Amino acid sequence: MEHKVSIIVPIYNVEQYIRKCVDSILNQTYDNLEIILIDDGSPDKCGKICDEYAEIDSRIKVIHKKNGGLSDARNAGLKICTGKYLTFIDADDYLLPNYVADLISNIKNADICIGGYCTLYDGTVKKPKYKFERKVYSTDKKISLLEHLLLGKDNNQEFPFHLMSVWKNLYKSDFIKENNLTFVSERKIYAEDFIFNLYAYYFSKSIVLIDNANIVHLINKESLSQSYRKNYFELQKCLTKTTEEFISTYLSSDLLDEYNKRLPNMLAYSLFKENRTNKNTAVENTKKILLDPYAIDILLQFKKCESGFKESIIYYFAKHHRVKCIYYFVKMLTLGEPLYRIMRLRK
């Protein structure tokens, strides 16, 4: 007997992608699906398109709601889903036919199955460079998985991101509901997926990791993670403090010390993101950040940033309050990004 799988799809302003996404779900080799399309107050024709699909397939449920953001939409789906298992799909991604079937066949008695993924950028689909065998993280081993997620303790730099995202994982619904797991708003915190999975991985009894890459994830320059975001430092600060609280409550002080060594990198990358705009706004943003008590404490506590050339330079300028130097350095990096992406795609 096939257990029902709920697929939760938050939808906002993705008219050009939504049909490909929904069609890929309908074309799954696994049939017992509950497809929850959440129109999060989308200003385009997404809501109408969702209703059209609901008329042709009884497995589709549509929620039309006032715009509340990605996390709010996912939480709305969690409230009504009835499947034994659930998964989250971003509306600009699409699935290969065996996505659900592979996750179901591997999860067995575990609470979570973490699947693999491909990326789509500028029309080119790429499989991940890393390879790993199917692995089970039980109660005594999941701390190592949390360390990978928190510290990037793996030779492969893509692995922590692989663990962070929810849009390729399968979860037992009862496990999610019993632990009251919901999403914090991305309008209050950066990387809401990260926090959700941090708690999910910790409370799970068993996690299965597989290499099957059956979802194609769009790298969208206009997405929340890629574009300029106002108040990025505040979102990152909230993420860091929330993570520190989690580590202090559930893990060790040694791990907290290791995590805090990443603070200069967080500050530097926040300055990078905040400077991806016009000069006046960038300079104003930088001055405001460097006067923040949290940033001041980081700059006083750490002499330099230990990770990444870009971050090290920005952190050096920040430590010496070279505000305009940060802007011009980020501008230079931004102008060089197209060439860098072309070189990566040719590898």
Side-chain angles (χ1 to χ4, degrees):
M1 175 183 175
E2 287 189 343
H3 295 293
K4 185 191 292 184
V5 176
S6 297
I7 300 180
I8 298 171
V9 188
I11 297 165
Y12 181 79
N13 208 24
V14 285
E15 184 180 342
Q16 60 182 316
Y17 304 111
I18 185 61
R19 291 187 185 277
K20 186 168 187 175
C21 176
V22 177
D23 285 342
S24 74
I25 297 172
L26 296 178
N27 290 329
Q28 289 296 292
T29 57
Y30 193 94
D31 291 324
N32 194 4
L33 303 176
E34 175 185 57
I35 305 163
I36 303 174
L37 306 180
I38 303 152
D39 168 26
D40 190 34
S42 188
D44 57 10
K45 295 180 181 179
C46 281
K48 182 180 179 181
I49 294 171
C50 290
D51 290 336
E52 291 174 0
Y53 274 102
E55 290 179 3
I56 63 175
D57 197 306
S58 60
R59 296 175 298 174
I60 294 177
K61 297 178 181 179
V62 180
I63 298 176
H64 297 284
K65 60 183 286 295
K66 182 180 179 181
N67 179 254
L70 176 62
S71 293
D72 189 63
R74 285 172 174 165
N75 289 338
L78 284 174
K79 288 179 181 178
I80 70 163
C81 68
T82 61
K84 180 172 181 178
Y85 301 95
L86 64 91
T87 186
F88 303 95
I89 305 300
D90 287 354
D92 50 4
D93 296 344
Y94 65 91
L95 309 179
L96 301 183
N98 288 327
Y99 172 80
V100 175
D102 277 354
L103 289 170
I104 280 288
S105 65
N106 279 282
I107 194 168
K108 301 187 184 302
N109 294 321
D111 291 317
I112 305 169
C113 183
I114 303 172
Y117 68 97
C118 302
T119 56
L120 173 63
Y121 185 84
D122 277 352
T124 301
V125 176
K126 294 192 70 175
K127 291 185 177 181
K129 295 178 182 178
Y130 56 83
K131 290 289 181 182
F132 45 81
E133 297 179 357
R134 183 182 186 275
K135 191 170 184 179
V136 178
Y137 293 87
S138 53
T139 303
D140 58 334
K141 294 180 180 179
K142 66 183 180 184
I143 295 301
S144 65
L145 192 71
L146 287 168
E147 288 179 349
H148 286 313
L149 179 60
L150 289 164
L151 306 176
K153 280 197 166 185
D154 191 273
N155 292 330
N156 191 320
Q157 293 301 309
E158 294 181 79
F159 191 56
F161 176 76
H162 183 87
L163 299 177
M164 181 189 302
S165 307
V166 300
W167 38 255
K168 56 187 173 33
N169 294 359
L170 186 70
Y171 304 85
K172 277 189 177 177
S173 297
D174 287 346
F175 161 73
I176 296 295
K177 293 172 182 177
E178 287 167 4
N179 289 282
N180 297 312
L181 296 176
T182 57
F183 290 89
V184 181
S185 173
E186 75 283 357
R187 296 173 180 179
K188 297 179 180 179
I189 194 169
Y190 181 71
E192 73 290 337
D193 287 33
F194 174 88
I195 295 298
F196 183 89
N197 275 336
L198 195 60
Y199 281 88
Y201 295 164
Y202 179 79
F203 288 123
S204 66
K205 294 178 181 177
S206 180
I207 302 167
V208 178
L209 182 68
I210 63 174
D211 194 35
N212 306 38
N214 287 318
I215 183 169
V216 180
H217 176 61
L218 175 68
I219 306 298
N220 185 353
K221 289 183 287 187
E222 304 303 321
S223 73
L224 288 179
S225 60
Q226 298 296 314
S227 59
Y228 164 75
R229 291 182 71 179
K230 186 179 179 181
N231 297 326
Y232 184 85
F233 172 70
E234 291 298 323
L235 297 171
Q236 275 283 4
K237 184 168 69 172
C238 184
L239 170 65
T240 302
K241 289 184 174 181
T242 301
T243 306
E244 288 173 336
E245 182 181 351
F246 172 87
I247 297 172
S248 298
T249 303
Y250 297 107
L251 302 174
S252 69
S253 58
D254 288 343
L255 188 59
L256 181 60
D257 290 340
E258 284 294 313
Y259 177 78
N260 282 337
K261 290 179 182 178
R262 297 163 57 95
L263 292 178
N265 185 71
M266 180 278 287
L267 176 58
Y269 191 68
S270 294
L271 289 168
F272 171 76
K273 294 288 282 188
E274 294 273 12
N275 275 266
R276 290 170 67 94
T277 183
N278 66 77
K279 182 179 177 181
N280 290 338
T281 302
V283 169
E284 183 181 340
N285 289 348
T286 301
K287 287 180 178 178
K288 182 180 177 182
I289 290 170
L290 295 181
L291 289 173
D292 187 283
Y294 195 67
I296 292 172
D297 185 59
I298 293 171
L299 291 168
L300 288 174
Q301 186 178 355
F302 298 94
K303 292 183 178 180
K304 59 182 180 178
C305 178
E306 301 288 350
S307 60
F309 170 77
K310 172 178 71 179
E311 290 79 8
S312 297
I313 297 296
I314 293 174
Y315 190 75
Y316 173 85
F317 288 145
K319 200 162 182 65
H320 293 83
H321 286 257
R322 303 289 178 83
V323 174
K324 291 183 180 179
C325 287
I326 294 174
Y327 169 75
Y328 287 118
F329 182 67
V330 172
K331 186 75 173 176
M332 179 186 71
L333 292 172
T334 303
L335 291 173
E337 280 182 352
L339 178 61
Y340 173 72
R341 288 187 182 123
I342 291 171
M343 292 173 65
R344 285 194 66 186
L345 287 172
R346 287 180 175 177
K347 286 183 178 180

